[in-house]
Amino acid sequence: QLLSDERAGAISPASANSRINALRNLDVRNDIERFFYRKSVSQQYNLNFRGGGNKSDYYISLGDDNDFGNLVGNTNDRITINGNYNFYPFKGLQFSVGVNYTKTDNQNNSTLSGIQVSGKGGIYPYAQLADRNGNPLAIVKDYPLSVINSPAYSQFLDWNYRPLDELKNADNTTGAFDNRINLGLKYSFLRGFSTEIKYLFENTQSSTNDYLNENTYYTRNLINRYTQQNADGTLSYPIPIGGILHEGNASLIANRLRGQLNYSKDWDKNSLTVILGSELSSAVGNSIQQAPAYGYDTNTGANYTNIDYLNYYGINPRGSGSLQIPNGQGYSKTTDHFLSYFSNAAYTYDSKYTFSVSGRIDKSNLFGVNANQKAVPLYSTGLLWDLSKEDFYHLRWLPQAKLRATYGYNGNINKTATAVTTISQQSNSYYSGTPYAIIANPGNPDLMWEKDRMINLGIDFGSINQILTGSMEFYFKNGINLFGNSSLPPSTGYSTFFGNTASTSGHGIDITLNSHNIYHDKFKWLTSFLYSYAADKVTKYNVQAPATTYLTAGNGNAGTITPLVGGPLFGIYSYRSGPLTHNTGDPQGYLNGQLSTDYPTIIKDTPTEALVYNGPARPTAYGSLRNTFIYKEWSLSFNLIYKLGYYFRRSSIQYGGLYSWLGNVDFSKRWQRPGDEQTTTVPSMQLPPVDANRDYFYTFSQTLVDNGDHIRFQDISLNYDLTKSLWKNSPFINLTLYGYINNVGILWKANHDGLDPDVFSTTGTTSLPIPRTYSIGIKSNFK
């Protein structure tokens, strides 16, 4: 309104700016930044030991990481221990044992997620979380203050929500450990033969402990909602007054056994290497979520056990219906068995020609009903030709040149699908009061592995004195029997069927170049350049979704994928849009080829083929350019990355959200008078009631699609090697000081709105920008 008054001449620009700045100082986001955010600090300590002799050797690594996240209350501590011991009792026999132990402890005590800054139900923009003295203040949450502070609830527990008190009362911890033991035995016999057996045992345990004491809003609110007012005016508490404890545990026990036979022989101009083996894996996972411990007392460890989960209670505020007391108890168990047979052979003649072939058969208990359906045969074959060793090769400036080609298949597993019918146990039925189950996955006895056919063609090269080295690789990829949805007759009870119903194709190129621009004793300049291009297309998918589905699904790195045959797996689709109307500033679309503002009909009747395909939602070309400068003990390295050939949907004003305090900077660019349509694409302001269809059309119109191409200054690293400055009897082999900055900033972007494409998600809403991080440290090796 201040901006409008300024443009209309009602107030001076200076007065408008002064009043806007005053409001900005009261913005609740200032309080959020003040109380809920801090500078993120990460500390990493690592110590390694290595030693041994002719009969044995060992390696031990100790690590301690402490991460204080940028949200107050959150910490992440990790301790790692790695050890490996090799014993050689006699020639040809090697025994190995390794241990890997990781322990993590997390504090997840930030309560920022409980504050809805904007949108319907959110707090107003100029709410305050604390008074001038820093004392917590109550804000609106869930219910109007006039209701919860009315005389009808005067005997209830305090129903006000104070975010700063929540931060002080949070007590949510997560602990986990992962323990792995490796055993290995390798024996070499005869001439060229060796055999090895490896065994891995893994034990992973995790636990969560979220205690919500009686002062937290969650506990007070839950008790109040179920509080019953008796006829005599007294209160009874189906959920007892006290704290609430949520506990859960998860575990994974895995056993993996691998046996392998190796053969290697060189004779005359020939070289042959063969391996043959098998791998067996079994992993069993268990998860237990305990029922909430109502009335829990941390001092005594006691809780109120007489909880009635069966009956329904009237819910406060009065008139909110009736519900059962929440019982989050749940159990799950997964069993994953995997068996694989594999072999590989490579033959080289005269160090010029190499032929390789590999094959494997993978089996999983997740597929098929019959034994032969549980397995997938996979193979690959390849050729390598060292062209530079041929007598006819005379390119002196390129003394190294190798050509290679491979062809083969890979297999993929999707563990959300199963060959047999699976059910999911539910809590008590509303009608019968007894537990019941629903079908989670209908049976699919013909379920198969996904397969990817890959063709690779490549060249490796190196110039004289290795001034320029690199590789270039072309690939072609076809996805076969991919998991996807397919329509089913309604009489089956399901609308779609999930199985091997989809196919894709793709191709690309990868280029790597490394150059020694300057290479002297005291000064070196090295450059590394990476370029990748990847394009994909959906060639088969048996579900034709409504046009609106393609506007919101599969348009980026998150969300549900809804492929459209002929397009990429992730694509941006939009409504075709025209200019704003001259007299009213309304956005215009197309209906039957003509400009129209009939938004409900445009949304309902626009066919999929009439949508505008803006382009891929993921970069089709990407890479990096790194330069490293070395002068005596100093080294400086900086890296530029680029992403090209893709698009994103930016956010803009939605007037339906504006009145729920969801604003956008585009509001200042809106159409305000006839003729503005020549300089802006932001629609005019709507007064309530807002036309939701108008907002929806504008949000998903091609007007809001921007080019995502950009170049980013990714990181810079500075190192100083103190080794040459050390005294003669120093215990250090080397000692290096280093500093590192990550995500320095964007150097160039194709969009003209000043936006960072990496912070936009599939629906055009923004996430938090990627923070810039700074690191300093010291690395050393001891004698």
Side-chain angles (χ1 to χ4, degrees):
Q1 185 62 49
L2 290 172
L3 292 171
S4 299
D5 291 346
E6 178 193 343
R7 290 187 177 181
I11 60 175
S12 67
S15 177
N17 288 334
S18 176
R19 293 167 66 182
I20 289 173
N21 288 331
L23 289 175
R24 283 174 176 164
N25 291 331
L26 294 176
D27 192 336
V28 68
R29 288 173 293 188
N30 293 333
D31 277 356
I32 290 175
E33 184 175 350
R34 174 186 174 189
F35 294 111
F36 287 88
Y37 283 93
R38 65 186 176 194
K39 291 184 177 180
S40 176
V41 178
S42 297
Q43 299 173 336
Q44 296 181 331
Y45 306 93
N46 185 265
L47 185 62
N48 300 327
F49 300 92
R50 186 187 301 273
N54 295 331
K55 288 291 185 178
S56 64
D57 57 69
Y58 66 88
Y59 172 81
I60 300 175
S61 173
L62 306 175
D64 183 13
D65 297 345
N66 302 302
D67 184 8
F68 299 88
N70 64 332
L71 294 178
V72 174
N74 287 1
T75 63
N76 184 7
D77 298 329
R78 183 179 66 173
I79 295 175
T80 58
I81 301 174
N82 292 303
N84 188 73
Y85 175 74
N86 296 315
F87 176 55
Y88 314 95
F90 53 84
K91 184 178 180 181
L93 181 63
Q94 175 184 342
F95 175 76
S96 302
V97 58
V99 176
N100 176 276
Y101 177 80
T102 302
K103 184 178 184 298
T104 59
D105 292 293
N106 300 326
Q107 295 283 341
N108 303 303
N109 290 330
S110 174
T111 56
L112 181 59
S113 59
I115 304 176
Q116 186 178 345
V117 178
S118 56
K120 187 176 181 180
I123 59 178
Y124 55 93
Y126 306 118
Q128 289 183 278
L129 304 184
D131 61 20
R132 292 183 178 179
N133 298 320
N135 299 313
L137 295 176
I139 62 174
V140 176
K141 183 177 176 65
D142 298 328
Y143 321 103
L145 294 179
S146 59
V147 173
I148 62 175
N149 292 323
S150 66
Y153 301 106
S154 60
Q155 300 182 62
F156 282 49
L157 300 180
D158 179 13
W159 218 334
N160 288 285
Y161 175 66
R162 301 174 183 85
L164 296 188
D165 280 345
E166 297 302 302
L167 190 60
K168 292 186 296 184
N169 290 319
D171 185 9
N172 185 7
T173 62
T174 302
F177 75 83
D178 182 26
N179 188 22
R180 301 184 184 190
I181 300 176
N182 296 277
L183 300 176
L185 183 66
K186 183 177 181 180
Y187 178 61
S188 301
F189 60 97
L190 300 179
R191 180 175 295 181
F193 284 94
S194 66
T195 184
E196 53 186 311
I197 298 176
K198 294 182 178 180
Y199 169 73
L200 169 66
F201 172 79
E202 181 178 7
N203 181 8
T204 299
Q205 305 283 339
S206 65
S207 63
T208 58
N209 187 305
D210 188 7
Y211 178 62
L212 301 135
N213 66 48
E214 59 186 281
N215 295 318
T216 62
Y217 175 79
Y218 174 91
T219 299
R220 291 183 283 112
N221 177 54
L222 197 62
I223 293 173
N224 284 344
R225 282 173 60 80
Y226 283 86
T227 297
Q228 304 298 299
Q229 194 161 19
N230 303 317
D232 61 357
T234 61
L235 303 179
S236 60
Y237 302 96
I239 296 180
I241 295 178
I244 301 175
L245 175 65
H246 294 278
E247 285 187 303
N249 298 280
S251 66
L252 174 70
I253 303 295
N255 292 273
R256 298 178 176 89
L257 181 65
R258 179 187 179 101
Q260 184 172 309
L261 177 66
N262 309 312
Y263 176 74
S264 178
K265 183 178 181 180
D266 296 325
W267 72 100
D268 298 331
K269 296 182 178 182
N270 306 278
S271 178
L272 176 64
T273 301
V274 180
I275 64 172
L276 180 66
S278 178
E279 183 175 349
L280 176 65
S281 173
S282 175
V284 178
N286 285 281
S287 177
I288 299 175
Q289 182 63 47
Q290 303 286 357
Y294 292 110
Y296 187 81
D297 186 344
T298 55
N299 295 320
T300 64
N303 67 287
Y304 189 85
T305 58
N306 189 22
I307 302 295
D308 182 0
Y309 291 111
L310 183 60
N311 290 313
Y312 284 77
Y313 296 91
I315 298 300
N316 300 305
R318 294 164 190 170
S320 301
S322 61
L323 292 172
Q324 294 172 307
I325 294 177
N327 179 2
Q329 191 175 45
Y331 302 87
S332 69
K333 181 179 180 179
T334 59
T335 302
D336 191 353
H337 292 162
F338 186 86
L339 175 63
S340 178
Y341 304 97
F342 59 89
S343 64
N344 179 277
Y347 170 74
T348 300
Y349 176 73
D350 199 21
S351 300
K352 299 179 185 178
Y353 317 104
T354 299
F355 171 74
S356 64
V357 60
S358 65
R360 63 184 299 132
I361 297 177
D362 292 334
K363 297 183 178 182
S364 172
N365 64 314
L366 302 179
F367 296 98
V369 173
N370 299 320
N372 62 344
Q373 291 177 320
K374 297 179 182 293
V376 58
L378 304 168
Y379 68 90
S380 66
T381 183
L383 293 171
L384 184 143
W385 180 19
D386 194 337
L387 185 63
S388 57
K389 291 185 177 180
E390 295 289 356
D391 294 336
F392 59 80
Y393 187 84
H394 301 294
L395 296 179
R396 298 183 60 186
W397 60 273
L398 195 68
Q400 296 181 7
K402 297 180 181 179
L403 301 177
R404 47 188 168 82
T406 59
Y407 174 88
Y409 287 86
N410 295 323
N412 301 315
I413 293 179
N414 187 327
K415 295 186 178 182
T416 62
T418 60
V420 296
T421 302
T422 58
I423 63 173
S424 175
Q425 190 74 29
Q426 304 297 303
S427 58
N428 295 341
S429 168
Y430 177 85
Y431 301 100
S432 65
T434 59
Y436 68 101
I438 61 173
I439 295 178
N441 266 312
N444 182 4
D446 296 322
L447 191 69
M448 297 181 292
W449 291 67
E450 291 185 331
K451 294 174 69 175
D452 287 327
R453 189 193 70 183
M454 296 287 294
I455 300 175
N456 290 69
L457 303 173
I459 179 173
D460 303 311
F461 55 85
S463 67
I464 191 169
N465 295 328
Q466 299 292 293
I467 294 176
L468 179 66
T469 60
S471 65
M472 183 180 299
E473 185 165 337
F474 303 87
Y475 69 86
F476 306 88
K477 178 179 180 181
N478 282 352
I480 305 169
N481 294 329
L482 303 183
F483 290 106
N485 290 310
S486 182
S487 299
L488 283 178
S491 58
T492 62
Y494 297 90
S495 59
T496 60
F497 163 79
F498 187 68
N500 306 102
T501 62
S503 300
T504 61
S505 66
H507 63 276
I509 182 174
D510 294 317
I511 298 175
T512 301
L513 297 175
N514 298 295
S515 67
H516 295 172
N517 306 316
I518 300 176
Y519 205 84
H520 295 299
D521 292 339
K522 293 185 178 180
F523 180 74
K524 300 178 179 64
W525 173 22
L526 312 176
T527 299
S528 177
F529 173 77
L530 302 177
Y531 171 83
S532 293
Y533 170 80
D536 63 88
K537 182 173 66 174
V538 178
T539 56
K540 178 184 176 183
Y541 194 68
N542 294 336
V543 174
Q544 180 65 50
T548 52
T549 305
Y550 299 104
L551 301 173
T552 58
N555 292 337
N557 296 322
T560 303
I561 300 174
T562 303
L564 184 60
V565 174
L569 192 59
F570 297 91
I572 299 286
Y573 299 90
S574 307
Y575 289 119
R576 184 185 175 196
S577 57
L580 302 178
T581 57
H582 175 72
N583 294 324
T584 59
D586 292 318
Q588 296 188 91
Y590 283 84
L591 193 59
N592 299 321
Q594 301 296 320
L595 286 170
S596 173
T597 57
D598 185 358
Y599 308 116
T601 305
I602 292 174
I603 295 170
K604 180 173 66 73
D605 293 346
T606 298
T608 299
E609 56 271 17
L611 294 176
V612 176
Y613 170 59
N614 302 104
R618 289 183 171 181
T620 55
Y622 49 92
S624 65
L625 176 65
R626 178 177 292 277
N627 282 277
T628 301
F629 301 91
I630 302 173
Y631 177 71
K632 294 184 177 180
E633 291 84 15
W634 292 93
S635 66
L636 174 67
S637 174
F638 61 88
N639 188 30
L640 307 179
I641 66 171
Y642 58 91
K643 299 179 181 179
L644 308 172
Y646 76 114
Y647 297 83
F648 69 96
R649 196 188 310 278
R650 62 182 174 88
S651 59
S652 187
I653 188 68
Q654 292 184 339
Y655 292 107
L658 178 64
Y659 302 112
S660 297
W661 310 312
L662 181 62
N664 189 282
V665 69
D666 280 358
F667 179 76
S668 62
K669 305 174 185 177
R670 72 193 184 282
W671 184 100
Q672 299 184 64
R673 58 180 63 89
D676 284 353
E677 70 276 4
Q678 302 295 326
T679 58
T680 185
T681 58
V682 181
S684 58
M685 182 176 176
Q686 293 187 85
L687 296 177
V690 171
D691 184 351
N693 290 316
R694 181 182 190 256
D695 271 354
Y696 184 89
F697 167 78
Y698 173 62
T699 298
F700 294 104
S701 67
Q702 66 182 113
T703 300
L704 295 182
V705 176
D706 272 347
N707 191 330
D709 297 1
H710 68 278
I711 300 175
R712 186 184 299 274
F713 192 168
Q714 183 61 38
D715 59 65
I716 183 170
S717 176
L718 180 64
N719 295 269
Y720 180 71
D721 188 355
L722 290 169
T723 306
K724 296 180 180 180
S725 303
L726 299 176
W727 62 97
K728 184 177 180 180
N729 296 323
S730 167
F732 301 105
I733 298 175
N734 58 63
L735 185 66
T736 303
L737 301 175
Y738 68 88
Y740 178 75
I741 305 174
N742 189 38
N743 191 30
V744 180
I746 293 181
L747 299 179
W748 170 84
K749 47 186 173 290
N751 74 84
H752 300 294
D753 298 298
L755 302 175
D756 183 349
D758 284 346
V759 304
F760 281 79
S761 64
T762 63
T763 59
T765 57
T766 58
S767 58
L768 291 175
I770 302 172
R772 181 181 300 163
T773 60
Y774 303 85
S775 303
I776 58 174
I778 183 171
K779 295 184 294 185
S780 64
N781 288 335
F782 297 89
K783 294 180 180 178

